[in-house]
Amino acid sequence: MNTMEKLAILTEGAKYDVSCSSSGVNKKNNGGLGNAKSFGICHSWSADGRCVSLLKILLTNYCIYNCSYCVNRNHNDIPRASFTAKEVADITIQFYRRNYIEGLFLSSAIEHSPNHTMEKIWQTLDILRNEYHFHGYIHVKIIPGADPRIIHKTGLLADRVSINIEQPTEQSLKLLAPQKSLQSMFTPMAEINHRITQNSEDKKKYRGIPKYVPAGQSTQMIVGASDDTDLTILKATETLYDRFNLKRVYFSAYIPVNEGPNLPALASMPPLQREHRLYQADWLLRFYNFKADEIVNTQFPRLDTDFDPKIAWALRNIHLFPLEINKASYEELLRIPGIGVKSALRIVRQRRFAPISYDNLSKFGLVLKRAKFFLTCQGRYYGGISIDTSLIRQALTPQPQPLQLTLF
Amino acid sequence: MDYLYDSTFDGLLTCIYYSYYEDKAKGIYPQDYYQCSLVNSSRIIVTDPILSSRVYEAIAKKISSQALKQAYYVFLSNHPRKENIILKYLQLGFKLGRKIDNLHTHLDVLPVYQTARKVSFEVHRFYGLLRFAESNNFLYASLKPDHNILIILAEHFVDRLAQNNFIIHDQKRNIAIIHDKQEWYLTDFNAPENISISEEENFYQELWIRYFTHISIESRTNKRLQNQFVPHRYRNHLVEFKKSFLTNLSS
């Protein structure tokens, strides 16, 4: 099999992993090839609108596991292929030089054993970093169950590592991936987190300490393969951030690739809208100081599909509004739908010099058509309707586009 | 009094010097495109690197380094009245000092932020959207950016591809960054007629297109989203869009 065919097969196997970012670490080129920028760089966008930042690829798609949601499970009759460590390293370097990619995202199915697979991943990184002196971004999958020593030496070469927990509860994991358990994934996650913290402590004390996973850990959950509610998912997300200091939790709308008794039908559409709302909720958790039970609770276990989670929260807590733009604290401003981190900061900085008038408000970059219902400016309310949940809900609902009648 | 300058950043700063110490400038215009009027008198300013560096330092010290960066980014933009935007902004800046960084919505400040943002956004885009092709012993990339961003791209790619010879060619302005491992410079440049592409280069282009088509998930296809991120005006320079478009036509 030639490189072209292998690349096609192993890309197909890797594409359902949604993690794409190349952010979180600044590195200079140290006498070799490549550097990294903490803001991350996207290099292209594929036909599904997702960005291509890293060369996302599997080392192999031969797998000993049979997880029912996975396209590479061993019961599936699909073309199989394996790359050698050197092949992957060569393609990475050649793509990188042409500025096609920002680095490598190496994942793998479990061939033979976790240790064997992890060792092969390390080998690829070893060639890239120590033979080719590559300083670009590398994200690798950690294989649960692999020897901690191999994981550790891999972490010394990678920028970001991730372990996909795939399901928010032990129950649904047992149903869909009986050979896996959450505990077996949490153990390496905790271990890596411990070492990252230790590494940053050490860096303060000594010079020339090699970096250990400088861009942190991330994980992914599949949405829609089991019947877990958004409440379960967001609670799990919050716990993951608190317990393991994860940089990101990704959500992947389940795309039916297999048939199975515990799975949605093959013809069902991926729940893209739900995935989108979960990401919005994730942003509220990470940048807007929200807690998971403010966004969803036992009374409302699912995210509203018509409104984003922040509007939904504001409508449920309408008694807190309207807020005066010239007096509300930064944290309060962040709670107003239509105001984001940047516009809130600009407002706080500018109002020290002069009160902010309503005319100036839209120049801060906030979305006035949402925000106007939840704020007052110099004491005046500009919403035009009384502050009432059902009225605001109606005003915010998008109107259907009028249709041009045809003549015939 | 209208000031006319030679379209360099140094020239612009020299104008600002004279506007501060001699006649106040009503507007600053590039010498080559200026239309004389009966009402306004005009004055041609000769660029003086000593005066311009004094203004440069004064901006960093008396206003802020952020203001300097904003002004420079506006200068790189294709805004038709960029000189006057910068002039107004700096005049206000010398009056208010640091405070100007917090006045986002001021009439003389907002256009600066808006224009500078467009430039830095395009820079960020081209960090990713630039494509090199290997030819003999150097890498060649061409682009047609809206703004004059080559000088900012240079810094990024010189660090990244330090061990490679490369040329980044702005085909709109006929200028290029040339890097030869030790040093780099910006120069006027016209592309040679045909840049020979090696066998190996062809192979990696094909491989990249293969990767690019297979990474997309069919059931999530969303061309509108893709169009938002990759505007059609950039696609002529992108291997994966140019070639796959041609193969689509032929099949």
Side-chain angles (χ1 to χ4, degrees):
Chain A
M1 198 182 286
N2 66 24
T3 316
M4 282 279 178
E5 288 160 0
K6 276 198 210 171
L7 185 84
I9 293 170
L10 293 170
T11 307
E12 285 289 330
K15 69 180 177 185
Y16 297 103
D17 203 303
V18 289
S19 165
C20 66
S21 71
S22 52
S23 57
V25 57
N26 262 324
K27 285 195 305 186
K28 274 211 171 294
N29 185 357
N30 195 3
L33 173 75
N35 57 16
K37 297 278 178 189
S38 63
F39 45 75
I41 297 170
C42 301
H43 285 252
S44 196
W45 283 266
S46 58
D48 51 15
R50 299 189 309 160
C51 86
V52 180
S53 166
L54 304 172
L55 172 66
K56 196 186 290 177
I57 204 166
L58 297 181
L59 256 177
T60 176
N61 65 346
Y62 289 102
C63 197
I64 54 171
Y65 287 132
N66 197 31
C67 310
S68 57
Y69 48 76
C70 180
V71 70
N72 300 315
R73 62 175 179 175
N74 61 10
H75 280 192
N76 278 6
D77 180 23
I78 52 165
R80 305 271 174 180
S82 288
F83 268 133
T84 62
K86 185 143 174 30
E87 281 175 314
V88 173
D90 283 337
I91 298 177
T92 309
I93 294 290
Q94 291 304 333
F95 278 9
Y96 193 87
R97 289 180 65 220
R98 290 168 174 80
N99 206 36
Y100 296 161
I101 52 167
E102 191 60 18
L104 174 67
F105 179 175
L106 191 59
S107 178
S108 183
I110 320 291
E111 196 181 14
H112 306 307
S113 71
N115 272 345
H116 173 264
T117 312
M118 200 67 233
E119 184 73 31
K120 216 174 140 189
I121 290 179
W122 171 80
Q123 259 173 27
T124 315
L125 266 56
D126 187 47
I127 295 176
L128 275 171
R129 292 286 199 224
N130 298 328
E131 203 171 308
Y132 294 160
H133 303 288
F134 175 69
H135 299 286
Y137 199 86
I138 298 183
H139 178 165
V140 292
K141 279 262 118 66
I142 294 298
I143 312 296
D147 188 334
R149 276 170 301 178
I150 314 178
I151 297 181
H152 180 67
K153 65 179 182 181
T154 309
L156 285 170
L157 300 178
D159 291 298
R160 172 168 287 186
V161 300
S162 58
I163 300 169
N164 286 354
I165 67 164
E166 308 293 12
Q167 293 298 325
T169 59
E170 195 75 66
Q171 236 173 336
S172 34
L173 197 66
K174 274 274 151 312
L175 213 60
L176 299 173
Q179 287 144 305
K180 290 183 179 172
S181 77
L182 280 184
Q183 201 44 53
S184 70
M185 295 185 259
F186 287 160
T187 317
M189 269 169 137
E191 169 78 15
I192 292 164
N193 181 35
H194 172 70
R195 286 194 188 267
I196 293 175
T197 346
Q198 203 177 25
N199 184 249
S200 58
E201 286 295 313
D202 286 353
K203 249 186 290 178
K204 284 176 206 155
K205 288 186 212 148
Y206 315 105
R207 273 164 64 181
I209 295 270
K211 285 180 180 166
Y212 183 82
V213 196
Q217 298 189 76
S218 67
T219 191
Q220 166 181 317
M221 275 187 259
I222 298 179
V223 176
S226 59
D227 48 9
D228 293 305
T229 59
D230 297 332
L231 175 66
T232 329
I233 294 175
L234 284 174
K235 271 290 191 191
T237 307
E238 193 177 48
T239 321
L240 286 167
Y241 284 133
D242 291 348
R243 235 176 106 187
F244 304 117
N245 284 315
L246 294 192
K247 290 281 175 194
R248 278 295 293 273
V249 174
Y250 288 93
F251 306 107
S252 162
Y254 175 67
I255 291 155
V257 285
N258 298 323
E259 265 178 358
N262 301 326
L263 285 172
L266 265 187
S268 56
M269 286 297 290
L272 295 182
Q273 181 68 11
R274 188 176 169 205
E275 179 196 277
H276 175 57
R277 293 287 180 233
L278 278 168
Y279 275 123
Q280 290 180 317
D282 176 55
W283 247 254
L284 293 183
L285 290 178
R286 291 190 297 139
F287 300 112
Y288 291 76
N289 306 323
F290 272 77
K291 292 267 159 271
D293 16 294
E294 289 178 291
I295 304 167
V296 275
N297 51 39
T298 40
Q299 209 185 338
F300 305 95
R302 281 170 204 282
L303 291 167
D304 201 332
T305 45
D306 297 334
F307 295 104
D308 69 60
K310 200 170 163 191
I311 293 188
W313 172 84
L315 289 173
R316 267 182 271 130
N317 295 282
I318 200 73
H319 57 276
L320 299 173
F321 296 100
L323 289 166
E324 168 59 42
I325 217 87
N326 284 299
K327 286 191 183 132
S329 66
Y330 171 71
E331 289 73 24
E332 282 173 330
L333 286 176
L334 278 183
R335 296 267 159 161
I336 300 176
I339 294 186
V341 174
K342 274 208 168 148
S343 44
L345 276 174
R346 282 176 189 152
I347 290 170
V348 170
R349 280 207 301 254
Q350 185 162 335
R351 71 185 179 186
R352 288 206 298 256
F353 301 103
I356 291 161
S357 69
Y358 187 72
D359 294 338
N360 269 342
L361 216 45
S362 62
K363 293 184 196 159
F364 285 102
L366 49 80
V367 187
L368 212 49
K369 81 176 175 194
R370 289 203 286 278
K372 66 177 178 185
F373 299 110
F374 302 98
L375 55 84
T376 59
C377 202
Q378 296 180 309
R380 219 186 128 184
Y381 180 70
Y382 292 86
I385 48 177
S386 61
I387 303 164
D388 173 83
T389 307
S390 59
L391 284 178
I392 296 178
R393 182 179 284 271
Q394 200 183 4
L396 283 170
T397 311
Q399 299 301 315
Q401 289 286 317
L403 279 180
Q404 167 94 49
L405 293 177
T406 53
L407 275 173
F408 306 104
Chain B
M1 176 81 78
D2 283 346
Y3 280 19
L4 310 182
Y5 81 119
D6 58 357
S7 301
T8 61
F9 193 58
D10 276 339
L12 184 66
L13 293 184
T14 314
C15 289
I16 287 171
Y17 178 88
Y18 284 120
S19 164
Y20 197 81
Y21 285 104
E22 293 176 16
D23 294 335
K24 200 171 176 193
K26 211 170 159 203
I28 302 175
Y29 301 93
Q31 211 170 312
D32 303 348
Y33 306 106
Y34 184 67
Q35 284 201 325
C36 294
S37 77
L38 285 173
V39 191
N40 286 330
S41 56
S42 64
R43 172 178 170 188
I44 294 174
I45 298 290
V46 181
T47 302
D48 183 337
I50 297 169
L51 298 184
S52 74
S53 68
R54 277 173 66 181
V55 178
Y56 188 90
E57 274 157 32
I59 297 172
K61 228 157 100 194
K62 297 203 167 123
I63 311 177
S64 69
S65 55
Q66 198 203 331
L68 183 60
K69 191 183 164 194
Q70 298 284 346
Y72 186 57
Y73 271 52
V74 174
F75 173 75
L76 295 178
S77 76
N78 65 354
H79 196 291
R81 290 179 297 103
K82 60 185 182 187
E83 295 87 3
N84 294 329
I85 293 181
I86 297 171
L87 176 68
K88 288 242 175 84
Y89 175 66
L90 291 180
Q91 279 173 346
L92 184 75
F94 282 122
K95 221 183 275 172
L96 295 179
R98 277 204 101 75
K99 249 196 223 173
I100 198 168
D101 288 346
N102 294 330
L103 290 181
H104 189 82
T105 64
H106 192 285
L107 271 181
D108 293 338
V109 181
L110 189 62
V112 170
Y113 284 146
Q114 282 171 339
T115 320
R117 190 168 173 271
K118 278 185 197 157
V119 177
S120 62
F121 182 57
E122 195 177 45
V123 169
H124 184 95
R125 253 183 174 157
F126 272 105
Y127 283 164
L129 288 178
L130 202 69
R131 295 285 175 271
F132 287 98
E134 185 152 49
S135 173
N136 300 324
N137 57 352
F138 66 93
L139 295 164
Y140 173 81
S142 62
L143 70 163
K144 280 185 183 164
D146 299 342
H147 308 285
N148 189 8
I149 56 174
L150 228 47
I151 191 93
I152 300 177
L153 289 182
E155 223 174 293
H156 176 77
F157 285 104
V158 164
D159 181 50
R160 174 162 289 203
L161 304 171
Q163 311 277 324
N164 294 273
N165 297 323
F166 65 80
I167 298 174
I168 304 175
H169 179 200
D170 183 340
Q171 291 185 335
K172 215 178 196 173
R173 297 169 182 80
N174 291 324
I175 50 174
I177 298 284
I178 296 179
H179 176 256
D180 68 352
K181 287 184 192 172
Q182 267 91 47
E183 53 172 13
W184 65 274
Y185 50 95
L186 182 70
T187 171
D188 288 339
F189 189 79
N190 280 310
E193 288 292 292
N194 47 351
I195 286 176
S196 64
I197 283 180
S198 61
E199 187 90 345
E200 192 190 79
E201 175 61 30
N202 256 328
F203 171 73
Y204 281 111
Q205 289 193 0
E206 288 298 323
L207 198 65
W208 167 241
I209 291 166
R210 181 69 71 98
Y211 173 76
F212 182 74
T213 39
H214 280 277
I215 197 71
S216 158
I217 299 176
E218 301 80 52
S219 52
R220 295 187 67 127
T221 301
N222 191 346
K223 288 276 184 187
R224 238 186 92 197
L225 192 59
Q226 189 188 29
N227 289 343
Q228 264 176 34
F229 289 122
V230 193
H232 283 268
R233 66 179 184 280
Y234 296 150
R235 292 192 182 184
N236 273 336
H237 299 267
L238 294 172
V239 180
E240 64 271 28
F241 287 95
K242 198 166 51 180
K243 282 219 179 160
S244 56
F245 175 68
L246 289 178
T247 43
N248 276 350
L249 275 188
S250 59
S251 61

